[in-house]
Amino acid sequence: MSPSKGARAAGAVVALAAAVSVSACGSTGTGSGSPGDARSQPTSASGQADRSAASPTPSPTRSYPLSTSPRGIPSVRKHEAARGPGWRPASNSGVVIAKGSEGLADEGKLLAKELKIAYRGAVAAGPGDVELALKSGSGSAESYTLTTSGGRVRITGPGQAGVFYGTRTLKQSIRADGVMPEGVVQDSPARPQRGLNLDIARKYYSPGWIEARMREMADLKLNQLGLHFSDDQGFRIESTTHPEIVSPQHLSKAEVKKILALADQLHITVVPEIDSPGHLGAVLRAHPSLQLRNVNGVATKGAIDISQPAAAKLVDELDREFAQLFNGPYWNLGADEYQALVVANPEASYPKLAKLAVQKYGPNATVQDLTTAWTNDRAAALAPYKKKLKVWNDGLFRGGVVKADPGLEVQYWTGREIGARPPVEYLNEGRKVVNFNDEYLYYVLGQPNNFIYPTGKRIYEQWTPLVLRGTTPVPDRYSKQIQGGLFAVWGDFPNAQTQDQVANGIRLPLAATSQKLWNPARPTLSWSEFQSLAAKVTSAG
């Protein structure tokens, strides 16, 4: 039965109202096909609009403009636009876990808390829900697909880390614009190592402060926290093998375990560092007999006497103790700035070291060779713990009789040191390199030695992972060897800034570093636009 004229009129009003209401909820882009536009209606063979074939209510695909890419830091690498209202958290919304993906419960509970919606667990998704699912397929464990359609969001990935990063994209989009745009996001990081390196040896940071930075890192999809906890100024984690070396202000092992538990939840790997054979001043204060002295008997700052067997025993005991506390895959041996090698003639200044080098490695061996052997021996002592070992670039030397372990990964930070080798030398050796470029990524408290606090703007506009030293990139053919980069905070003058000042000072540089490590494309936002977005999405709450 056909409706009466009055009913048809009422239906038209309802349809029009529905169209207006639906359009008002859409994304803010532009598009064609709005209700009443003859271009969106079927046409007859004569070319006239075929009104008899038109749906009594407009199809959503003809009511919404094409969606725009979700906004966040780092920006997503691929977004397939679609027409629809997108997704907003509502009173009926909840987070659910797909069958067989129960391991995503922590990710689901965190997201539900952040979006202030229900967590329903492993139940079928309903209207307005966000579903998290592990799904086998190609792609790295950090890749994910986020689909927004039909009033729901589904985030899938081959690994928990990827699904977690999908929840960060959703969270940031809601923070930025109140909506997750319709369509499909396919995303993954350009570099596997992305993070923050923190010097807690020279400056003590509270556990709560470190945890807040980790939450901020996780929202930025950063996955690595370096902890430099031993140096001349302090040894900042409780030790059971050598309690005599621990600074009065330090982290207890219980506090560290809590930090590590949060790191696991946030898919952050913590990389510990006990630097040697230099930067051991805090350890040597309790063991003065192991202090390196030159030919005149003058103590060498921070340097342990690598000719003494007791020196190796002490450092190996510490390394093994903390290798059990930090159960992640990486360990930083340090190896930089051994002061016996920064003098004009190491062999003349340290004849004891020079004599032992010749005895052990032949007539052409030097103090450099003895130092390289020290690092190789520390690596061998950690072999049972299956760690991937890192060293600073100035701890691996050119030439010499003794060659550095080929598996050592280089953290390239400087060209300032005496004899510092250019990055391509390490790359030509086939080594993996992580970018710590001190021109852009070094936040040194007090700004000594011509260091200037880095700005997010400079990182955002000038730096890329290929820029390992100074401002000049290495050739693109080395790109696959560059594992990523870390923004580093060093406490040379620990009282130059408070904890809060450090947190505020590194916020934008860290966001810019994240952007350049995740998405290799040239940023589309201006710096001022990026700053504005960061103000919305990078709070550590």
Side-chain angles (χ1 to χ4, degrees):
M1 179 185 299
S2 61
S4 66
K5 184 184 294 185
R8 288 198 299 271
V13 171
V14 170
L16 180 59
V20 171
S21 175
V22 167
S23 295
C25 294
S27 300
T28 57
T30 59
S32 61
S34 60
D37 185 343
R39 290 173 296 176
S40 68
Q41 299 175 2
T43 58
S44 65
S46 66
Q48 298 295 317
D50 185 356
R51 298 184 183 278
S52 64
S55 172
T57 58
S59 164
T61 60
R62 297 173 187 163
S63 303
Y64 295 95
L66 277 173
S67 61
T68 55
S69 182
R71 297 199 304 149
I73 299 173
S75 59
V76 301
R77 296 180 65 178
K78 182 180 179 182
H79 176 250
E80 182 181 329
R83 299 184 188 276
W87 180 88
R88 303 170 189 268
S91 59
N92 69 324
S93 299
V95 178
V96 303
I97 308 299
K99 184 178 180 180
S101 301
E102 289 78 9
L104 294 170
D106 285 346
E107 288 78 8
K109 290 174 183 177
L110 176 61
L111 181 65
K113 179 181 178 182
E114 292 168 330
L115 298 183
K116 298 180 173 58
I117 59 178
Y119 174 71
R120 297 198 234 281
V123 299
D129 282 348
V130 177
E131 183 183 36
L132 308 184
L134 293 172
K135 187 176 181 180
S136 60
S138 60
S140 73
E142 293 187 308
S143 63
Y144 69 92
T145 299
L146 188 157
T147 304
T148 307
S149 178
R152 302 181 188 181
V153 173
R154 191 166 195 261
I155 303 173
T156 64
Q160 292 183 11
V163 175
F164 177 70
Y165 293 143
T167 69
R168 302 305 86 194
T169 295
L170 176 59
K171 173 187 175 181
Q172 288 201 12
S173 185
I174 297 300
R175 279 187 170 183
D177 300 307
V179 63
M180 183 68 208
E182 202 84 3
V184 180
V185 171
Q186 291 182 313
D187 205 11
S188 62
R191 307 284 169 174
Q193 296 186 44
R194 312 172 305 278
L196 170 68
N197 197 79
L198 186 62
D199 172 10
I200 65 171
R202 294 179 178 98
K203 182 178 179 66
Y204 171 83
Y205 294 91
S206 69
W209 188 93
I210 294 171
E211 290 169 4
R213 300 291 73 70
M214 290 166 60
R215 293 188 180 95
E216 188 175 357
M217 289 170 60
D219 280 356
L220 294 169
K221 303 184 176 76
L222 298 173
N223 66 357
Q224 198 170 106
L225 174 65
L227 283 185
H228 176 90
F229 64 92
S230 171
D231 211 304
D232 297 341
Q233 294 81 354
F235 192 100
R236 299 289 181 184
I237 298 179
E238 172 190 358
S239 171
T240 51
T241 61
H242 288 281
E244 73 281 359
I245 69 174
V246 179
S247 301
Q249 197 172 32
H250 65 271
L251 300 175
S252 70
K253 286 192 175 180
E255 290 170 330
V256 172
K257 288 176 181 177
K258 185 181 175 187
I259 289 169
L260 294 175
L262 178 62
D264 285 343
Q265 293 175 12
L266 299 176
H267 300 278
I268 293 171
T269 295
V270 179
V271 182
E273 178 190 4
I274 299 177
D275 203 347
S276 80
H279 293 281
L280 282 170
V283 172
L284 292 170
R285 277 196 292 275
H287 296 271
S289 64
L290 298 179
Q291 178 91 46
L292 179 67
R293 296 181 179 275
N294 68 13
V295 67
N296 298 316
V298 177
T300 304
K301 181 181 177 181
I304 201 165
D305 184 351
I306 61 176
S307 70
Q308 297 193 48
K313 180 176 182 293
L314 172 61
V315 173
D316 286 346
E317 286 171 349
L318 290 170
D319 283 353
R320 289 174 178 137
E321 175 185 357
F322 288 97
Q324 296 175 67
L325 176 63
F326 293 93
N327 55 9
Y330 294 104
W331 183 273
N332 185 2
L333 292 168
D336 63 310
E337 297 183 315
Y338 189 46
Q339 294 301 298
L341 295 175
V342 302
V343 296
N345 188 335
E347 287 66 45
S349 294
Y350 299 94
K352 183 180 176 183
L353 298 184
K355 181 179 179 181
L356 183 61
V358 170
Q359 288 175 351
K360 295 186 74 170
Y361 305 112
N364 296 322
T366 65
V367 175
Q368 171 187 305
D369 294 301
L370 195 67
T371 307
T372 299
W374 167 277
T375 301
N376 287 345
D377 290 345
R378 305 293 71 74
L382 283 170
Y385 300 94
K386 309 296 184 184
K387 302 291 186 183
K388 299 174 184 177
L389 301 173
K390 300 168 175 281
V391 293
W392 299 107
N393 67 283
D394 53 325
L396 296 185
F397 314 107
R398 181 186 291 116
V401 174
V402 178
K403 304 300 180 184
D405 183 330
L408 297 175
E409 183 177 273
V410 175
Q411 298 189 146
Y412 199 97
W413 72 279
T414 190
R416 301 179 185 219
E417 297 297 308
I418 295 174
R421 300 162 63 194
V424 293
E425 288 196 21
Y426 303 100
L427 294 165
N428 284 335
E429 291 174 4
R431 294 189 186 274
K432 294 179 179 179
V433 175
V434 180
N435 195 322
F436 278 76
N437 186 339
D438 64 356
E439 177 76 20
Y440 294 94
L441 305 180
Y442 258 41
Y443 194 95
V444 185
L445 298 190
Q447 304 183 108
N449 302 321
N450 297 317
F451 281 109
I452 298 173
Y453 292 130
T455 66
K457 184 176 190 292
R458 194 158 179 256
I459 296 168
Y460 187 75
E461 294 180 345
Q462 299 179 19
W463 179 80
T464 76
L466 294 178
V467 182
L468 286 162
R469 174 173 172 171
T471 60
T472 304
V474 298
D476 189 65
R477 67 179 179 272
Y478 296 113
S479 184
K480 289 185 178 180
Q481 290 173 247
I482 300 173
Q483 301 299 291
L486 278 77
F487 186 85
V489 179
W490 298 102
D492 290 43
F493 290 90
N495 297 323
Q497 289 192 340
T498 65
Q499 287 189 149
D500 289 344
Q501 286 173 322
V502 173
N504 185 61
I506 70 175
R507 186 179 65 87
L508 284 173
L510 202 58
T513 303
S514 165
Q515 172 65 36
K516 303 303 280 290
L517 290 168
W518 184 277
N519 193 334
R522 186 177 183 85
T524 58
L525 298 180
S526 68
W527 171 245
S528 61
E529 291 169 333
F530 185 84
Q531 274 186 294
S532 178
L533 179 60
K536 295 181 177 181
V537 304
T538 61
S539 65

